């Protein structure tokens, strides 16, 4: 039986991106955006911890009321700003986030680059990777303007050019990065356009998150 999966993300756009990832894999997602736009989501992520936890717990409960027995958090920075492990135990609801993928991948690399939406996301990815592999060397950058371009529907090739993302990827590679983590779930939108302009391999957590969801 294909039970629905609650999809939480920062905005309506990346929430529906998460639903679409599930749909292409033959799974059903119910969207639960937490904020109305990327700037509002960034503001949400710096709220007091108890306030964030309560707000997200209420959203997860709504998902459970609609028949969801597992959840996908399709937002890197929110995954870093909210303690989903605690909420999962509290609600007895399995939750998969991009951080689960990074934790499993950390040991395979010596040096990585990370592009995140904001500093909350970057810090959370760093914390997850270094907890799993303290010897890892990391280089990071934040690119909220690129997220806003995705939300606005700008063509992938145009936003890669305008935000100098290929040059940024080349800088990571020049520093010795073995792979570049696309540390925002908006970023698969331009993955193909960026991959065509850099030799640095890109790490997109989508496939591994689907594998983890199926294993629950």
């Amino acid at each position: 039986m294909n039970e629905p999966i609650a999809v939480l993300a920062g905005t309506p756009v990346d929430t529906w991106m998460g639903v679409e990832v599930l749909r292409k894999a033959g799974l059903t997602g119910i969207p639960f955006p937490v904020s109305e736009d990327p700037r509002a989501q960034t503001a949400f992520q710096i709220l007091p911890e108890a306030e964030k936890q309560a707000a997200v717990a209420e959203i997860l409960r709504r998902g459970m009321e609609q028949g969801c027995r597992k959840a996908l958090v399709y937002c890197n920075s929110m995954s870093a700003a909210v303690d989903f492990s605690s909420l999962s135990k509290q609600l007895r609801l399995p939750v998969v986030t991009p951080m689960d993928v990074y934790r499993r991948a950390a040991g395979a690399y010596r040096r990585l680059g990370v592009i995140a939406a904001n500093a909350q996301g970057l810090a959370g990815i760093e914390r997850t990777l270094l907890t799993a592999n303290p010897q890892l060397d990391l280089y990071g950058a934040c690119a909220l303007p690129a997220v806003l371009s995705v939300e606005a529907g700008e063509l992938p090739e145009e936003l890669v050019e305008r935000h100098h993302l290929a040059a940024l990827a080349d800088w990571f590679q020049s520093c010795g990065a073995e792979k570049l983590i696309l540390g925002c779930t908006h970023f698969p939108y331009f993955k193909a356009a960026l991959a065509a302009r850099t030799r640095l391999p890109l790490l997109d957590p989508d496939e591994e998150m689907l594998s983890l969801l199926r294993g629950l």
Side-chain angles (χ1 to χ4, degrees):
M1 180 177 177
N2 187 1
E3 291 183 338
I5 297 169
V7 180
L8 277 69
T11 74
V13 171
D14 57 349
T15 305
W16 278 106
M17 286 178 172
V19 170
E20 183 65 6
V21 167
L22 293 179
R23 186 194 67 77
K24 289 179 178 178
L27 302 171
T28 301
I30 298 179
F32 293 94
V34 174
S35 305
E36 62 184 14
D37 58 48
R39 296 191 189 278
Q41 175 58 199
T42 297
F44 170 81
Q45 290 170 17
I46 60 175
L47 290 173
E49 192 69 22
E51 191 172 342
K52 289 185 294 188
Q53 293 292 112
V56 174
E58 178 58 30
I59 293 171
L60 288 172
R61 289 191 186 96
R62 292 203 330 254
M64 295 171 72
E65 289 169 359
Q66 294 184 45
C68 299
R69 295 296 173 261
K70 45 180 94 164
L72 170 66
V73 181
Y74 201 71
C75 180
N76 283 259
S77 55
M78 188 167 67
S79 300
V82 174
D83 184 357
F84 281 100
S85 177
S86 173
L87 289 173
S88 176
K89 293 175 183 176
Q90 173 189 333
L91 300 173
R92 297 182 181 179
L93 177 73
V95 179
V96 170
T97 83
M99 300 301 154
D100 298 319
V101 176
Y102 305 145
R103 190 177 297 111
R104 292 158 67 100
Y109 303 98
R110 293 177 301 165
R111 187 168 294 179
L112 289 171
V114 182
I115 305 177
N118 56 33
Q120 277 75 236
L122 187 59
I125 294 171
E126 178 186 65
R127 181 169 56 251
T128 297
L129 289 169
L130 293 182
T131 298
N133 180 6
Q135 303 305 313
L136 191 63
D137 289 333
L138 292 177
Y139 294 87
C142 302
L144 185 61
V147 175
L148 297 175
S149 290
V150 174
E151 293 261 330
E154 187 173 340
L155 291 175
E157 294 78 10
E158 292 180 2
L159 77 84
V160 166
E161 176 68 23
R162 189 161 69 83
H163 296 294
H164 307 286
L165 297 180
L168 181 59
D170 289 345
W171 177 79
F172 283 123
Q173 186 170 34
S174 73
C175 293
E178 301 161 76
K179 190 165 278 192
L180 175 58
I181 291 176
L182 298 180
C184 174
T185 43
H186 281 78
F187 292 171
Y189 175 81
F190 58 74
K191 178 182 176 182
L194 178 57
R197 297 192 54 186
T198 181
R199 293 176 296 169
L200 184 60
L202 306 177
L203 194 162
D204 170 8
D206 283 6
E207 284 302 318
E208 185 66 19
M209 287 195 292
L210 287 171
S211 178
L212 291 172
L213 280 169
R214 289 191 175 103
L216 292 174

